[in-house]
Amino acid sequence: MTSKKTGMDTDAARRRFLGGAAALTTLSLAPGVTLIASAEAKEAHDATSTKMRWGMLIDARKCDSECTLCVDACRDEMGWGTPADRKPRPKTDAQWIRKVHVTDPKTTHTFSLPVMCQHCESPTCVDVCPTGASFKRVDGVVLVDKHICIGCRYCMMACPYKARSFVHEDISNQKPHAPRGKGTVEACTLCVHRVDRGGIPACVERCATAGRKAMLFGDLNDPESEIAKAVAEFATKQIRADLGLNPGIRYQGI
Amino acid sequence: MKKQIAFSEIAGNSNGYWALLLFFGALIGAALGATWHMEHEGHWVTGMSNQIVWGVPHVFAVFLIVAASGALNVASISSVFEVQDYKALAPLSALLSLALLTGGLAVLVLDLGRPDRLIVAMTSYNFKSIFAWNIYLYTGFFGVVGIYTWVMMDPRFVHFKKVAGSFAMMWRLLLTTGTGSIFGFLVARQAYDAAIMAPMFIIMSFAYGLAIYLLVIMAVYNGANRPLGDYVVCRMRNLLKVFVGAVLYFTLVQHLTNLYATEHHGVELFILLEGGPYTVLFWVGHIFLGGLLPLAILFHPMARTRAWTAIAASLIVLGGLCQVYVIIIGGQAYPLVLFPGMEVQSSFYDGEIYRYLNSLPELVLGIGGFALVAAIIMVAIKVLPFLPESLEDRHVDPEHSAKKEAREAGEKAGASA
Amino acid sequence: MRRSFGFFAILAVLATVVLGTPSTAADAEGRVPMPDLWRGKGEKCLEPATDMRRYHMNYLKHQRNDTLYKGIRGTKYSLKECIECHAVPVPGKKGERSVEHFCDQCHTYAAVWIDCFQCHASKLHEEGGASK
């Protein structure tokens, strides 16, 4: 236990040092570049870049336990729900995002929050994937390359968040931007098909349109972004932060 | 004076031989049919789900792969530690380990979501994954043990036997380390994430592999009508006692370590007391039937017969399957801890004990793995001289049998006096 | 040795001629029956037909990796655009248009199995525009 902790501290210290060094270099060599490059400026044709770290801040205090707008939005956008022509099979039907209700048995305090792929900086699913089908884009989005996924499900064993689903049957009528197929593993894509064109994820959009505004999406690396300012100002938490994976999804009020 | 052991192929033309081969062939056919069904419909027709992602096929596959490594024990003892008595038993040991690995891998691969993309697993690698390493360890095992078998059976290469045997032994230790690490490296799950998994899998492999070896050699010599002496069987009994005891010891340490940390009390309570089928499988299947009972049989002076040894070995195999079942499926059935100390609930079964009931196709696929092992051995001993013509005591260890004869003669003399 | 070399040389030349010949419907009168292809919408494809026939998989694969790994969207060789032009009426299913049938015409003929449409949508989507 102690050795684990020390390891993490050393690692964090090393990262801080390297980060500081990188920042100094950037500051001294190209002061203009970082100011000009705004993360939101990615055009559809541009390649994504390491400058960005896409993330989300979810305020559980604004998240109603009855509300499933984000889940519905994701299902509509990506098409993962139970098909209309058959009964639900809850054990094997995919769930890219779900509402989790938490109760503290000692105090009876409760809260509710959406949980999906947490887009970790050090994703365990990417570590264990034998073929490299699980991968992390340079901007921090964790995806599955279904062209080389062999369906071994080791990533599902490794994910601490139960964020991934295995496609247990033939799929038809997929959305053009969300290919899904039997025998491969899938999860939240952080709506990269929208984000790459300068948009925001469907769940965040639906939550905001309904006036709840519990979800905030943006570039954690851009100090000018709303999300970066928010996480700097308020206390936020990551789920299972003890694992040291540094998820890109942060929560308030949990 | 050293006597040359005579190896030869079995005749393999009796009706019984063909009937048995046909039987195993039918089981393999059924397993392929089950695979086709599962792959065609998708995995929803199995008991596996988004909660229990690895099921009965993985139990069989991991058991067979682990046993494959252990089946090489006998050959290692012969070639590496140069124990003469085991020399005659070595080629079958190598053959059995190759067959077991083939059976295990076949089951594993046929359960993939996309078995048609197996080639991808050979061309696209992520070297941070222990799975990717295992692909090399498994395929390498075929090469290494294949060469070792050749060296053992071809008198021209007799000088390389020790080198090849040592290399094969190191390789199979690595292989089982890799297999154990599949679970040992899973930081997210309460039941895994323990360094002890790798050495525990090694000792499990010793016990399962030797038990299967004993069963196979008895079955084969019985079937081929070749003499098999008690001495051979009993020597391996002693080794088996040590291995079964060690498995129990490692299991004890694994659970004691977990019990010390409060954060693991939940999962330990689940496996050891409240887990329903998993608790039963752990205590009755693994600890009693697979551990204490065979130990009692192996130690009991009245049970020093071949029949009792076969019963003990069968129990160890059964207990081993239970143990792997509890590790793989019991380990997954306990929910992931998203919020330590909190109660959670969701539409995706968060915070609930996951239920798993295997479907028939899964079971048929797993049994097909065993059938494939049997079929490979049956064919191999027919086409290549893996088996000594006689394993009578006087052929294996003339010195021992001479002593035994003298003793028996003495007893007879005493009785008649 | 020499003779076999000559044989292979002739075989290679033949193969080049046969494989290099554009296999349009016009060739159907030749000795080997050729698939009768549906034409896509518009004047011409992104590249000359011979190039498309031979290299379409490379274009698609390159594009797919760019999109998946680098997030580059809306470029020339996108599968969505292929579907846009090449979704053709499916025989026996009235009103349904699918690119899968278009691909199958050649792929069945050449016995090349593809699994693109196990995951990717092959039909025109309402939002995707003109579905007849």
Side-chain angles (χ1 to χ4, degrees):
Chain A
M1 205 64 224
T2 34
S3 66
K4 238 182 203 170
K5 219 165 205 160
T6 328
M8 224 148 71
D9 289 343
T10 323
D11 203 30
R14 192 160 41 214
R15 264 187 213 149
R16 244 195 327 270
F17 170 72
L18 286 176
L24 263 176
T25 321
T26 318
L27 274 176
S28 53
L29 289 182
V33 176
T34 41
L35 291 177
I36 295 164
S38 162
E40 312 290 340
K42 180 188 176 305
E43 298 286 333
H45 290 268
D46 295 340
T48 186
S49 111
T50 43
K51 289 196 199 95
M52 293 170 254
R53 170 88 203 274
W54 294 119
M56 215 185 267
L57 177 61
I58 298 168
D59 192 341
R61 294 165 304 185
K62 293 182 191 162
C63 188
D64 191 89
S65 67
E66 301 297 310
C67 174
T68 56
L69 282 175
C70 52
V71 181
D72 302 338
C74 182
R75 198 186 290 126
D76 295 347
E77 178 78 12
M78 308 309 250
W80 50 257
T82 308
D85 56 359
R86 69 158 170 82
K87 285 193 180 118
R89 293 195 281 252
K91 282 185 174 181
T92 52
D93 284 347
Q95 293 204 26
W96 292 19
I97 178 172
R98 64 196 190 268
K99 283 295 296 291
V100 176
H101 311 288
V102 188
T103 311
D104 187 338
K106 299 169 283 281
T107 63
T108 72
H109 173 70
T110 64
F111 56 89
S112 171
L113 71 171
V115 176
M116 71 299 262
C117 173
Q118 302 285 300
H119 299 282
C120 306
E121 188 188 344
S122 319
T124 49
C125 54
V126 173
D127 288 347
V128 301
C129 177
T131 65
S134 281
F135 71 100
K136 190 182 68 165
R137 292 203 329 184
V138 290
D139 58 3
V141 182
V142 176
L143 296 175
V144 182
D145 182 350
K146 288 168 195 167
H147 305 104
I148 56 172
C149 173
I150 56 173
C152 74
R153 286 104 83 200
Y154 197 17
C155 55
M156 298 174 73
M157 291 288 280
C159 175
Y161 305 103
K162 207 163 175 277
R164 290 197 162 179
S165 295
F166 179 66
V167 182
H168 285 76
E169 70 205 303
D170 274 317
I171 306 268
S172 52
N173 293 321
Q174 294 93 331
K175 307 276 178 188
H177 53 260
R180 317 173 51 223
K182 180 177 73 180
T184 56
V185 172
E186 56 182 21
C188 156
T189 64
L190 212 61
C191 281
V192 275
H193 62 287
R194 286 160 157 256
V195 172
D196 285 339
R197 292 191 166 87
I200 61 169
C203 55
V204 180
E205 189 180 86
R206 182 84 60 97
C207 187
T209 326
R212 300 202 178 255
K213 296 194 174 113
M215 304 171 96
L216 178 61
F217 173 83
D219 178 9
L220 290 162
N221 279 358
D222 173 12
E224 296 306 310
S225 72
E226 207 182 330
I227 188 170
K229 285 177 183 163
V231 294
E233 190 177 347
F234 307 112
T236 58
K237 273 190 195 168
Q238 296 160 321
I239 306 179
R240 289 304 304 268
D242 58 318
L243 296 171
L245 308 175
N246 189 17
I249 314 290
R250 288 177 169 269
Y251 294 87
Q252 271 180 289
I254 65 167
Chain B
M1 197 193 78
K2 230 168 161 185
K3 206 166 160 261
Q4 197 64 40
I5 306 156
F7 287 92
S8 69
E9 298 89 348
I10 61 161
N13 47 18
S14 66
N15 285 339
Y17 177 88
W18 290 114
L20 200 59
L21 199 58
L22 199 69
F23 171 68
F24 289 130
L27 286 180
I28 295 168
L32 289 175
T35 304
W36 185 84
H37 174 64
M38 292 185 331
E39 299 299 341
H40 182 75
E41 292 292 327
H43 272 63
W44 76 275
V45 296
T46 71
M48 290 175 272
S49 61
N50 283 324
Q51 286 63 242
I52 308 281
V53 300
W54 287 350
V56 155
H58 301 82
V59 173
F60 278 88
V62 169
F63 177 85
L64 288 170
I65 290 168
V66 167
S69 155
L72 203 62
N73 269 334
V74 173
S76 296
I77 293 168
S78 153
S79 308
V80 183
F81 303 108
E82 298 185 6
V83 178
Q84 280 300 319
D85 311 354
Y86 281 81
K87 205 176 150 196
L89 309 171
L92 181 64
S93 158
L95 168 66
L96 179 60
S97 77
L98 289 174
L100 284 166
L101 189 65
T102 311
L105 286 182
V107 175
L108 195 66
V109 159
L110 289 177
D111 180 74
L112 289 177
R114 301 292 311 234
D116 54 318
R117 289 197 187 145
L118 192 59
I119 192 74
V120 173
M122 315 277 178
T123 52
S124 177
Y125 286 106
N126 163 33
F127 285 107
K128 205 180 173 185
S129 166
I130 189 68
F131 244 32
W133 282 93
N134 281 345
I135 293 168
Y136 277 93
L137 289 171
Y138 295 157
T139 46
F141 188 82
F142 285 113
V144 171
V145 179
I147 290 169
Y148 174 41
T149 314
W150 187 347
V151 167
M152 258 195 295
M153 294 173 72
D154 191 333
R156 284 176 298 173
F157 301 125
V158 72
H159 301 296
F160 298 109
K161 207 163 88 175
K162 191 167 181 184
V163 180
S166 307
F167 194 64
M169 189 179 80
M170 282 190 291
W171 195 279
R172 61 95 181 237
L173 290 180
L174 275 179
L175 182 144
T176 325
T177 306
T179 311
S181 300
I182 289 175
F183 301 97
F185 289 177
L186 287 175
V187 293
R189 293 196 183 247
Q190 300 287 312
Y192 309 130
D193 184 25
I196 199 173
M197 284 289 179
M200 190 168 84
F201 268 61
I202 290 180
I203 206 67
M204 279 154 62
S205 84
F206 287 2
Y208 307 166
L210 192 60
I212 294 181
Y213 182 83
L214 271 166
L215 289 173
V216 166
I217 201 164
M218 282 188 258
V220 164
Y221 271 74
N222 194 27
N225 278 327
R226 291 189 181 188
L228 174 68
D230 283 339
Y231 172 69
V232 171
V233 177
C234 287
R235 258 210 88 152
M236 285 190 273
R237 279 168 63 104
N238 292 334
L239 208 51
L240 201 55
K241 287 175 201 166
V242 179
F243 293 159
V244 173
V247 170
L248 288 176
Y249 168 75
F250 268 82
T251 311
L252 180 74
V253 173
Q254 183 206 0
H255 289 288
L256 277 181
T257 318
N258 263 357
L259 280 170
Y260 203 78
T262 312
E263 69 164 315
H264 291 135
H265 283 181
V267 71
E268 285 301 320
L269 202 64
F270 174 67
I271 298 289
L272 301 180
L273 289 177
E274 295 171 351
Y278 307 107
T279 305
V280 173
L281 282 174
F282 178 79
W283 288 111
V284 180
H286 168 203
I287 300 295
F288 180 70
L289 290 178
L292 299 175
L293 191 58
L295 268 188
I297 292 172
L298 293 171
F299 272 107
H300 201 286
M302 300 294 282
R304 288 180 67 86
T305 66
R306 207 173 304 175
W308 278 110
T309 310
I311 291 171
S314 309
L315 284 170
I316 292 165
V317 171
L318 182 74
L321 281 167
C322 293
Q323 183 181 13
V324 177
Y325 190 98
V326 172
I327 291 176
I328 294 184
I329 297 172
Q332 292 174 82
Y334 189 74
L336 284 165
V337 178
L338 282 186
F339 298 94
M342 301 288 203
E343 282 165 7
V344 292
Q345 184 261 313
S346 79
S347 59
F348 209 38
Y349 301 94
D350 282 284
E352 292 173 41
I353 302 293
Y354 310 135
R355 285 172 199 285
Y356 171 81
L357 189 68
N358 67 273
S359 65
L360 185 65
E362 286 169 89
L363 195 64
V364 171
L365 172 59
I367 290 169
F370 272 99
L372 183 58
V373 176
I376 290 172
I377 291 172
M378 285 185 74
V379 172
I381 57 176
K382 185 179 158 76
V383 296
L384 285 171
F386 278 100
L387 299 178
E389 282 169 359
S390 166
L391 281 175
E392 270 184 284
D393 293 345
R394 65 194 162 87
H395 287 132
V396 180
D397 181 39
E399 215 175 283
H400 174 87
S401 55
K403 264 191 248 162
K404 196 179 157 198
E405 271 162 30
R407 197 169 56 234
E408 276 168 7
E411 276 167 11
K412 250 186 211 160
S416 61
Chain C
M1 205 63 207
R2 259 212 118 107
R3 266 171 84 186
S4 66
F5 174 77
F7 171 74
F8 281 117
I10 291 168
L11 198 69
V13 171
L14 273 177
T16 321
V17 171
V18 170
L19 295 172
T21 313
S23 50
T24 52
D27 288 315
E29 286 159 27
R31 282 180 59 202
V32 183
M34 289 292 170
D36 189 8
L37 284 186
W38 278 94
R39 296 200 161 272
K41 280 196 290 193
E43 283 294 295
K44 60 182 177 64
C45 204
L46 291 167
E47 307 292 340
T50 45
D51 277 17
M52 286 314 288
R53 233 167 258 142
R54 185 152 295 190
Y55 301 119
H56 64 282
M57 67 301 268
N58 300 355
Y59 298 144
L60 279 168
K61 193 172 176 183
H62 187 75
Q63 157 83 44
R64 127 197 158 184
N65 286 340
D66 275 356
T67 304
L68 190 58
Y69 289 87
K70 296 182 190 158
I72 298 170
R73 304 259 164 192
T75 40
K76 200 164 147 189
Y77 303 113
S78 103
L79 185 63
K80 234 164 130 182
E81 298 297 320
C82 298
I83 298 171
E84 201 56 39
C85 282
H86 289 290
V88 298
V90 184
K93 288 194 177 170
K94 224 175 163 218
E96 196 171 308
R97 294 170 78 84
S98 158
V99 76
E100 209 170 347
H101 181 58
F102 173 80
C103 301
D104 278 351
Q105 296 171 98
C106 269
H107 275 269
T108 310
Y109 177 78
V112 177
W113 181 75
I114 52 165
D115 58 2
C116 309
F117 302 107
Q118 288 182 14
C119 290
H120 286 280
S122 62
K123 296 185 190 83
L124 275 182
H125 239 256
E126 293 84 58
E127 60 185 337
S131 63
K132 273 191 242 172

